Amino acid sequence: LALLLGLPLALPAEPPSCAPLVPVTFDNATIPGLLGQWIYIAGASRYPPHLEELKAVKHAAFSFSPGSHEDELNVTEITRLNETCVVKNTSKILVFRHNSTLAHVDDQVASMAKLIQSDKDLLILKHLNTSFPTLSLSARMPNVSKELLEDFKAHLHCLGFTEEEIFFTS
């Protein structure tokens, strides 16, 4: 009897259920909803160039404004990498409505991402152009609620990331 009663304790606990990351399907409100300022909060990646940058980013803010074409956004980025402040306003976001994908083009280098459905004041991007999982979180405000942060961390854990692999800005 003691063996049977102890059996549930010996069995492994069920792994947490991982809700799929659902990309946003672009409509007429999607792109105008992206305009304005965003604060980079956290990210995780196994892609070596992204990983090095994530380790160095101490603070990052960026803003999207309308570009010269309907499916183009101008990007202004202000980043503190270690102790160096970098301001860039030369990159663009290309919007591909047919497959709801964003491409960040900077100095002839493009990185593709899907916008993940979430709160309208959050910008969760799943980066696509590598075989390495990469996910980033930005928000309209420098702080997000503990619940939203826990949701983001749960997505990262479902992608196989540990706490040590998640990089937060200050």
Side-chain angles (χ1 to χ4, degrees), residues 38-45 50 53-55 57-62 122-127 134-139 141-145 148-156 161-163 165-170:
W38 295 93
I39 307 294
Y40 178 79
I41 305 290
S45 178
H50 288 172
E53 188 174 339
L54 286 174
K55 289 177 183 177
V57 171
K58 303 304 176 208
H59 175 78
F62 56 95
L122 292 182
L123 184 67
I124 297 176
L125 294 173
K126 181 178 182 191
H127 302 265
T134 302
L135 200 65
S136 65
L137 169 68
S138 299
M141 303 298 289
N143 298 313
V144 296
S145 73
L148 291 173
L149 202 51
E150 290 303 319
D151 287 347
F152 179 70
K153 287 165 73 174
H155 286 308
L156 288 172
F161 288 102
T162 64
E163 285 289 326
E165 295 175 298
I166 305 170
F167 294 94
F168 294 89
T169 57
S170 47

Side-chain angles (χ1 to χ4, degrees), residues 75 77 90-94 103-111:
V75 184
E77 303 169 78
T90 57
S91 61
K92 306 248 181 238
I93 298 286
L94 303 178
H104 182 227
V105 181
D106 185 22
D107 293 331
Q108 306 300 318
V109 177
S111 59

Side-chain angles (χ1 to χ4, degrees), residues 25-39:
T25 300
F26 290 0
D27 61 23
N28 290 338
T30 304
I31 303 311
L34 295 177
L35 298 177
Q37 183 166 332
W38 295 93
I39 307 294

Side-chain angles (χ1 to χ4, degrees), residues 27-138:
D27 61 23
N28 290 338
T30 304
I31 303 311
L34 295 177
L35 298 177
Q37 183 166 332
W38 295 93
I39 307 294
Y40 178 79
I41 305 290
S45 178
R46 293 217 173 90
Y47 183 54
H50 288 172
L51 193 55
E52 289 307 309
E53 188 174 339
L54 286 174
K55 289 177 183 177
V57 171
K58 303 304 176 208
H59 175 78
F62 56 95
S63 62
F64 297 137
S65 59
S68 56
H69 304 287
E70 178 186 14
D71 290 335
E72 179 183 276
L73 300 174
N74 294 322
V75 184
T76 300
E77 303 169 78
I78 301 170
T79 308
R80 193 174 86 220
L81 299 170
N82 293 318
E83 298 308 314
T84 305
C85 187
V86 178
V87 178
K88 280 202 277 188
N89 61 2
T90 57
S91 61
K92 306 248 181 238
I93 298 286
L94 303 178
V95 179
F96 298 98
R97 293 176 191 266
H98 68 283
N99 65 0
S100 296
T101 303
L102 301 171
H104 182 227
V105 181
D106 185 22
D107 293 331
Q108 306 300 318
V109 177
S111 59
M112 306 288 287
K114 290 274 189 188
L115 176 62
I116 302 303
Q117 283 185 339
S118 65
D119 182 276
K120 68 179 177 61
D121 291 328
L122 292 182
L123 184 67
I124 297 176
L125 294 173
K126 181 178 182 191
H127 302 265
L128 305 174
N129 59 331
T130 69
S131 57
F132 301 93
T134 302
L135 200 65
S136 65
L137 169 68
S138 299

